[in-house]
mmCIF file of all heavy atoms in Angstrom:
data_model
loop_
_atom_site.group_PDB
_atom_site.id
_atom_site.type_symbol
_atom_site.label_atom_id
_atom_site.label_comp_id
_atom_site.label_asym_id
_atom_site.label_seq_id
_atom_site.Cartn_x
_atom_site.Cartn_y
_atom_site.Cartn_z
ATOM 1 N N ALA H 42 -3.184 57.191 -12.600
ATOM 2 C CA ALA H 42 -3.202 56.843 -14.021
ATOM 3 C C ALA H 42 -1.791 56.529 -14.529
ATOM 4 O O ALA H 42 -1.591 55.589 -15.304
ATOM 5 C CB ALA H 42 -3.816 57.980 -14.836
ATOM 6 N N ALA H 43 -0.805 57.318 -14.083
ATOM 7 C CA ALA H 43 0.577 57.069 -14.517
ATOM 8 C C ALA H 43 1.083 55.730 -13.987
ATOM 9 O O ALA H 43 1.808 55.005 -14.683
ATOM 10 C CB ALA H 43 1.482 58.208 -14.045
ATOM 11 N N GLU H 44 0.713 55.392 -12.765
ATOM 12 C CA GLU H 44 1.124 54.113 -12.194
ATOM 13 C C GLU H 44 0.473 52.951 -12.939
ATOM 14 O O GLU H 44 1.098 51.911 -13.162
ATOM 15 C CB GLU H 44 0.779 54.072 -10.707
ATOM 16 C CG GLU H 44 1.681 54.983 -9.878
ATOM 17 C CD GLU H 44 1.323 55.010 -8.411
ATOM 18 O OE1 GLU H 44 0.136 54.754 -8.094
ATOM 19 O OE2 GLU H 44 2.215 55.302 -7.588
ATOM 20 N N GLU H 45 -0.778 53.141 -13.349
ATOM 21 C CA GLU H 45 -1.465 52.109 -14.127
ATOM 22 C C GLU H 45 -0.780 51.926 -15.480
ATOM 23 O O GLU H 45 -0.604 50.794 -15.954
ATOM 24 C CB GLU H 45 -2.930 52.492 -14.323
ATOM 25 C CG GLU H 45 -3.742 51.472 -15.117
ATOM 26 C CD GLU H 45 -3.841 50.119 -14.439
ATOM 27 O OE1 GLU H 45 -3.648 50.044 -13.210
ATOM 28 O OE2 GLU H 45 -4.099 49.130 -15.150
ATOM 29 N N ALA H 46 -0.366 53.028 -16.087
ATOM 30 C CA ALA H 46 0.345 52.956 -17.367
ATOM 31 C C ALA H 46 1.644 52.173 -17.215
ATOM 32 O O ALA H 46 1.988 51.348 -18.072
ATOM 33 C CB ALA H 46 0.628 54.358 -17.892
ATOM 34 N N SER H 47 2.352 52.410 -16.118
ATOM 35 C CA SER H 47 3.620 51.715 -15.880
ATOM 36 C C SER H 47 3.401 50.217 -15.659
ATOM 37 O O SER H 47 4.224 49.397 -16.084
ATOM 38 C CB SER H 47 4.339 52.314 -14.674
ATOM 39 O OG SER H 47 4.684 53.661 -14.916
ATOM 40 N N LYS H 48 2.297 49.866 -15.016
ATOM 41 C CA LYS H 48 1.990 48.450 -14.797
ATOM 42 C C LYS H 48 1.605 47.765 -16.104
ATOM 43 O O LYS H 48 1.996 46.623 -16.363
ATOM 44 C CB LYS H 48 0.846 48.309 -13.786
ATOM 45 C CG LYS H 48 1.227 48.687 -12.364
ATOM 46 C CD LYS H 48 0.009 48.615 -11.457
ATOM 47 C CE LYS H 48 0.334 49.097 -10.041
ATOM 48 N NZ LYS H 48 -0.878 49.118 -9.181
ATOM 49 N N LEU H 49 0.831 48.466 -16.937
ATOM 50 C CA LEU H 49 0.405 47.892 -18.209
ATOM 51 C C LEU H 49 1.580 47.634 -19.141
ATOM 52 O O LEU H 49 1.626 46.627 -19.844
ATOM 53 C CB LEU H 49 -0.604 48.818 -18.889
ATOM 54 C CG LEU H 49 -2.024 48.813 -18.321
ATOM 55 C CD1 LEU H 49 -2.802 50.029 -18.811
ATOM 56 C CD2 LEU H 49 -2.734 47.521 -18.703
ATOM 57 N N ASP H 50 2.529 48.570 -19.153
ATOM 58 C CA ASP H 50 3.691 48.436 -20.033
ATOM 59 C C ASP H 50 4.934 48.884 -19.290
ATOM 60 O O ASP H 50 5.303 50.064 -19.328
ATOM 61 C CB ASP H 50 3.495 49.264 -21.307
ATOM 62 C CG ASP H 50 4.624 49.044 -22.305
ATOM 63 O OD1 ASP H 50 5.502 48.204 -22.027
ATOM 64 O OD2 ASP H 50 4.628 49.708 -23.360
ATOM 65 N N PRO H 51 5.605 47.967 -18.603
ATOM 66 C CA PRO H 51 6.806 48.323 -17.840
ATOM 67 C C PRO H 51 7.921 48.906 -18.703
ATOM 68 O O PRO H 51 8.851 49.510 -18.186
ATOM 69 C CB PRO H 51 7.243 46.985 -17.221
ATOM 70 C CG PRO H 51 6.003 46.148 -17.210
ATOM 71 C CD PRO H 51 5.238 46.546 -18.430
ATOM 72 N N ARG H 52 7.835 48.726 -20.041
ATOM 73 C CA ARG H 52 8.866 49.275 -20.934
ATOM 74 C C ARG H 52 8.628 50.748 -21.243
ATOM 75 O O ARG H 52 9.469 51.393 -21.872
ATOM 76 C CB ARG H 52 8.872 48.494 -22.250
ATOM 77 C CG ARG H 52 9.090 46.988 -22.098
ATOM 78 C CD ARG H 52 8.743 46.276 -23.397
ATOM 79 N NE ARG H 52 7.365 46.577 -23.791
ATOM 80 C CZ ARG H 52 6.854 46.330 -24.994
ATOM 81 N NH1 ARG H 52 7.622 45.805 -25.926
ATOM 82 N NH2 ARG H 52 5.599 46.630 -25.256
ATOM 83 N N ASP H 53 7.489 51.285 -20.835
ATOM 84 C CA ASP H 53 7.119 52.672 -21.162
ATOM 85 C C ASP H 53 7.880 53.639 -20.252
ATOM 86 O O ASP H 53 7.420 53.980 -19.162
ATOM 87 C CB ASP H 53 5.611 52.850 -21.005
ATOM 88 C CG ASP H 53 5.117 54.182 -21.571
ATOM 89 O OD1 ASP H 53 5.926 55.119 -21.671
ATOM 90 O OD2 ASP H 53 3.922 54.272 -21.901
ATOM 91 N N ASN H 54 9.038 54.067 -20.713
ATOM 92 C CA ASN H 54 9.866 54.962 -19.899
ATOM 93 C C ASN H 54 9.212 56.324 -19.688
ATOM 94 O O ASN H 54 9.403 56.963 -18.650
ATOM 95 C CB ASN H 54 11.236 55.144 -20.548
ATOM 96 C CG ASN H 54 12.058 53.873 -20.506
ATOM 97 O OD1 ASN H 54 11.973 53.097 -19.559
ATOM 98 N ND2 ASN H 54 12.843 53.640 -21.542
ATOM 99 N N ALA H 55 8.431 56.783 -20.679
ATOM 100 C CA ALA H 55 7.739 58.066 -20.530
ATOM 101 C C ALA H 55 6.734 58.008 -19.386
ATOM 102 O O ALA H 55 6.565 58.980 -18.637
ATOM 103 C CB ALA H 55 7.043 58.439 -21.832
ATOM 104 N N ALA H 56 6.062 56.868 -19.237
ATOM 105 C CA ALA H 56 5.110 56.700 -18.137
ATOM 106 C C ALA H 56 5.834 56.669 -16.794
ATOM 107 O O ALA H 56 5.366 57.247 -15.804
ATOM 108 C CB ALA H 56 4.300 55.419 -18.333
ATOM 109 N N ARG H 57 6.977 56.019 -16.752
ATOM 110 C CA ARG H 57 7.760 55.970 -15.515
ATOM 111 C C ARG H 57 8.261 57.363 -15.121
ATOM 112 O O ARG H 57 8.256 57.730 -13.939
ATOM 113 C CB ARG H 57 8.957 55.021 -15.681
ATOM 114 C CG ARG H 57 8.578 53.542 -15.722
ATOM 115 C CD ARG H 57 9.789 52.679 -16.029
ATOM 116 N NE ARG H 57 9.487 51.270 -15.967
ATOM 117 C CZ ARG H 57 9.704 50.488 -14.916
ATOM 118 N NH1 ARG H 57 10.233 51.005 -13.819
ATOM 119 N NH2 ARG H 57 9.411 49.205 -14.940
ATOM 120 N N LEU H 58 8.677 58.135 -16.123
ATOM 121 C CA LEU H 58 9.138 59.494 -15.842
ATOM 122 C C LEU H 58 7.985 60.372 -15.371
ATOM 123 O O LEU H 58 8.128 61.155 -14.420
ATOM 124 C CB LEU H 58 9.771 60.095 -17.099
ATOM 125 C CG LEU H 58 10.270 61.534 -16.980
ATOM 126 C CD1 LEU H 58 11.272 61.679 -15.837
ATOM 127 C CD2 LEU H 58 10.894 61.986 -18.289
ATOM 128 N N LEU H 59 6.824 60.237 -16.013
ATOM 129 C CA LEU H 59 5.657 61.004 -15.595
ATOM 130 C C LEU H 59 5.263 60.646 -14.165
ATOM 131 O O LEU H 59 4.918 61.525 -13.369
ATOM 132 C CB LEU H 59 4.492 60.729 -16.555
ATOM 133 C CG LEU H 59 3.185 61.451 -16.274
ATOM 134 C CD1 LEU H 59 3.375 62.963 -16.267
ATOM 135 C CD2 LEU H 59 2.125 61.062 -17.316
ATOM 136 N N ARG H 60 5.328 59.371 -13.829
ATOM 137 C CA ARG H 60 5.037 58.944 -12.451
ATOM 138 C C ARG H 60 5.985 59.616 -11.465
ATOM 139 O O ARG H 60 5.565 60.095 -10.407
ATOM 140 C CB ARG H 60 5.164 57.423 -12.339
ATOM 141 C CG ARG H 60 5.035 56.892 -10.918
ATOM 142 C CD ARG H 60 5.220 55.386 -10.849
ATOM 143 N NE ARG H 60 5.235 54.932 -9.465
ATOM 144 C CZ ARG H 60 6.324 54.877 -8.710
ATOM 145 N NH1 ARG H 60 7.508 55.243 -9.221
ATOM 146 N NH2 ARG H 60 6.247 54.471 -7.453
ATOM 147 N N ALA H 61 7.272 59.668 -11.816
ATOM 148 C CA ALA H 61 8.258 60.305 -10.929
ATOM 149 C C ALA H 61 7.926 61.779 -10.723
ATOM 150 O O ALA H 61 7.993 62.300 -9.595
ATOM 151 C CB ALA H 61 9.657 60.153 -11.517
ATOM 152 N N GLU H 62 7.548 62.475 -11.798
ATOM 153 C CA GLU H 62 7.209 63.900 -11.693
ATOM 154 C C GLU H 62 5.959 64.102 -10.845
ATOM 155 O O GLU H 62 5.865 65.061 -10.065
ATOM 156 C CB GLU H 62 7.004 64.472 -13.090
ATOM 157 C CG GLU H 62 8.289 64.522 -13.919
ATOM 158 C CD GLU H 62 8.038 64.911 -15.355
ATOM 159 O OE1 GLU H 62 6.875 64.815 -15.815
ATOM 160 O OE2 GLU H 62 8.998 65.309 -16.041
ATOM 161 N N LEU H 63 4.996 63.200 -10.973
ATOM 162 C CA LEU H 63 3.744 63.331 -10.222
ATOM 163 C C LEU H 63 3.926 62.987 -8.742
ATOM 164 O O LEU H 63 3.222 63.529 -7.890
ATOM 165 C CB LEU H 63 2.664 62.451 -10.854
ATOM 166 C CG LEU H 63 2.132 62.994 -12.184
ATOM 167 C CD1 LEU H 63 1.356 61.928 -12.949
ATOM 168 C CD2 LEU H 63 1.248 64.219 -11.942
ATOM 169 N N LEU H 64 4.860 62.109 -8.445
ATOM 170 C CA LEU H 64 5.172 61.846 -7.037
ATOM 171 C C LEU H 64 5.632 63.126 -6.351
ATOM 172 O O LEU H 64 5.236 63.415 -5.216
ATOM 173 C CB LEU H 64 6.258 60.769 -6.925
ATOM 174 C CG LEU H 64 5.794 59.322 -7.130
ATOM 175 C CD1 LEU H 64 6.994 58.401 -7.312
ATOM 176 C CD2 LEU H 64 4.948 58.868 -5.939
ATOM 177 N N ALA H 65 6.438 63.912 -7.056
ATOM 178 C CA ALA H 65 6.873 65.198 -6.504
ATOM 179 C C ALA H 65 5.699 66.148 -6.380
ATOM 180 O O ALA H 65 5.601 66.912 -5.411
ATOM 181 C CB ALA H 65 7.958 65.807 -7.389
ATOM 182 N N ALA H 66 4.780 66.098 -7.350
ATOM 183 C CA ALA H 66 3.629 67.005 -7.346
ATOM 184 C C ALA H 66 2.697 66.749 -6.164
ATOM 185 O O ALA H 66 2.038 67.676 -5.687
ATOM 186 C CB ALA H 66 2.852 66.875 -8.656
ATOM 187 N N VAL H 67 2.647 65.502 -5.682
ATOM 188 C CA VAL H 67 1.791 65.201 -4.521
ATOM 189 C C VAL H 67 2.575 65.311 -3.216
ATOM 190 O O VAL H 67 2.068 64.964 -2.150
ATOM 191 C CB VAL H 67 1.143 63.799 -4.638
ATOM 192 C CG1 VAL H 67 0.267 63.717 -5.871
ATOM 193 C CG2 VAL H 67 2.195 62.690 -4.647
ATOM 194 N N GLY H 68 3.824 65.782 -3.303
ATOM 195 C CA GLY H 68 4.598 66.045 -2.086
ATOM 196 C C GLY H 68 5.555 64.946 -1.677
ATOM 197 O O GLY H 68 6.255 65.078 -0.660
ATOM 198 N N ASN H 69 5.632 63.874 -2.463
ATOM 199 C CA ASN H 69 6.530 62.769 -2.110
ATOM 200 C C ASN H 69 7.834 62.928 -2.884
ATOM 201 O O ASN H 69 8.142 62.161 -3.803
ATOM 202 C CB ASN H 69 5.863 61.426 -2.429
ATOM 203 C CG ASN H 69 6.533 60.268 -1.695
ATOM 204 O OD1 ASN H 69 7.658 60.406 -1.233
ATOM 205 N ND2 ASN H 69 5.843 59.148 -1.602
ATOM 206 N N VAL H 70 8.597 63.938 -2.505
ATOM 207 C CA VAL H 70 9.819 64.286 -3.240
ATOM 208 C C VAL H 70 10.854 63.169 -3.154
ATOM 209 O O VAL H 70 11.526 62.856 -4.148
ATOM 210 C CB VAL H 70 10.409 65.608 -2.706
ATOM 211 C CG1 VAL H 70 11.732 65.917 -3.388
ATOM 212 C CG2 VAL H 70 9.422 66.748 -2.919
ATOM 213 N N GLU H 71 10.982 62.560 -2.000
ATOM 214 C CA GLU H 71 11.976 61.494 -1.832
ATOM 215 C C GLU H 71 11.697 60.330 -2.782
ATOM 216 O O GLU H 71 12.615 59.815 -3.442
ATOM 217 C CB GLU H 71 11.972 61.005 -0.378
ATOM 218 C CG GLU H 71 13.046 59.969 -0.086
ATOM 219 C CD GLU H 71 13.094 59.570 1.380
ATOM 220 O OE1 GLU H 71 12.467 60.261 2.205
ATOM 221 O OE2 GLU H 71 13.760 58.556 1.686
ATOM 222 N N ALA H 72 10.437 59.914 -2.874
ATOM 223 C CA ALA H 72 10.073 58.818 -3.780
ATOM 224 C C ALA H 72 10.273 59.228 -5.233
ATOM 225 O O ALA H 72 10.671 58.420 -6.073
ATOM 226 C CB ALA H 72 8.628 58.396 -3.543
ATOM 227 N N SER H 73 10.003 60.506 -5.526
ATOM 228 C CA SER H 73 10.198 61.012 -6.878
ATOM 229 C C SER H 73 11.660 60.928 -7.284
ATOM 230 O O SER H 73 12.003 60.459 -8.384
ATOM 231 C CB SER H 73 9.717 62.463 -6.966
ATOM 232 O OG SER H 73 10.063 63.030 -8.213
ATOM 233 N N GLU H 74 12.535 61.370 -6.403
ATOM 234 C CA GLU H 74 13.965 61.353 -6.710
ATOM 235 C C GLU H 74 14.482 59.924 -6.825
ATOM 236 O O GLU H 74 15.319 59.620 -7.687
ATOM 237 C CB GLU H 74 14.728 62.128 -5.638
ATOM 238 C CG GLU H 74 14.419 63.624 -5.672
ATOM 239 C CD GLU H 74 15.158 64.408 -4.615
ATOM 240 O OE1 GLU H 74 15.661 63.776 -3.646
ATOM 241 O OE2 GLU H 74 15.231 65.651 -4.735
ATOM 242 N N GLU H 75 13.966 59.038 -5.985
ATOM 243 C CA GLU H 75 14.357 57.633 -6.065
ATOM 244 C C GLU H 75 13.928 57.035 -7.407
ATOM 245 O O GLU H 75 14.682 56.282 -8.036
ATOM 246 C CB GLU H 75 13.725 56.850 -4.910
ATOM 247 C CG GLU H 75 14.115 55.373 -4.889
ATOM 248 C CD GLU H 75 13.474 54.617 -3.736
ATOM 249 O OE1 GLU H 75 12.815 55.257 -2.886
ATOM 250 O OE2 GLU H 75 13.631 53.379 -3.697
ATOM 251 N N ALA H 76 12.724 57.404 -7.864
ATOM 252 C CA ALA H 76 12.217 56.895 -9.140
ATOM 253 C C ALA H 76 13.062 57.404 -10.307
ATOM 254 O O ALA H 76 13.338 56.660 -11.256
ATOM 255 C CB ALA H 76 10.754 57.302 -9.321
ATOM 256 N N ILE H 77 13.480 58.669 -10.241
ATOM 257 C CA ILE H 77 14.332 59.222 -11.301
ATOM 258 C C ILE H 77 15.680 58.522 -11.322
ATOM 259 O O ILE H 77 16.199 58.164 -12.391
ATOM 260 C CB ILE H 77 14.505 60.741 -11.097
ATOM 261 C CG1 ILE H 77 13.184 61.468 -11.391
ATOM 262 C CG2 ILE H 77 15.611 61.287 -12.000
ATOM 263 C CD1 ILE H 77 13.200 62.938 -11.043
ATOM 264 N N GLU H 78 16.260 58.290 -10.147
ATOM 265 C CA GLU H 78 17.553 57.599 -10.073
ATOM 266 C C GLU H 78 17.438 56.181 -10.612
ATOM 267 O O GLU H 78 18.324 55.700 -11.339
ATOM 268 C CB GLU H 78 18.047 57.583 -8.625
ATOM 269 C CG GLU H 78 18.500 58.953 -8.119
ATOM 270 C CD GLU H 78 18.850 58.950 -6.647
ATOM 271 O OE1 GLU H 78 18.372 58.049 -5.929
ATOM 272 O OE2 GLU H 78 19.591 59.850 -6.211
ATOM 273 N N GLN H 79 16.345 55.481 -10.262
ATOM 274 C CA GLN H 79 16.142 54.119 -10.746
ATOM 275 C C GLN H 79 15.950 54.100 -12.260
ATOM 276 O O GLN H 79 16.455 53.206 -12.948
ATOM 277 C CB GLN H 79 14.932 53.489 -10.053
ATOM 278 C CG GLN H 79 15.157 53.166 -8.589
ATOM 279 C CD GLN H 79 13.913 52.634 -7.913
ATOM 280 O OE1 GLN H 79 12.807 52.681 -8.475
ATOM 281 N NE2 GLN H 79 14.052 52.130 -6.698
#
Side-chain angles (χ1 to χ4, degrees):
E44 288 177 334
E45 180 63 21
S47 297
K48 290 176 185 176
L49 284 164
D50 185 4
R52 303 166 303 166
D53 191 337
N54 292 326
R57 288 174 175 263
L58 178 56
L59 180 58
R60 174 182 174 272
E62 293 172 342
L63 287 165
L64 282 167
V67 299
N69 198 342
V70 176
E71 184 176 347
S73 172
E74 292 180 343
E75 182 180 354
I77 290 172
E78 289 174 338
Q79 289 176 349

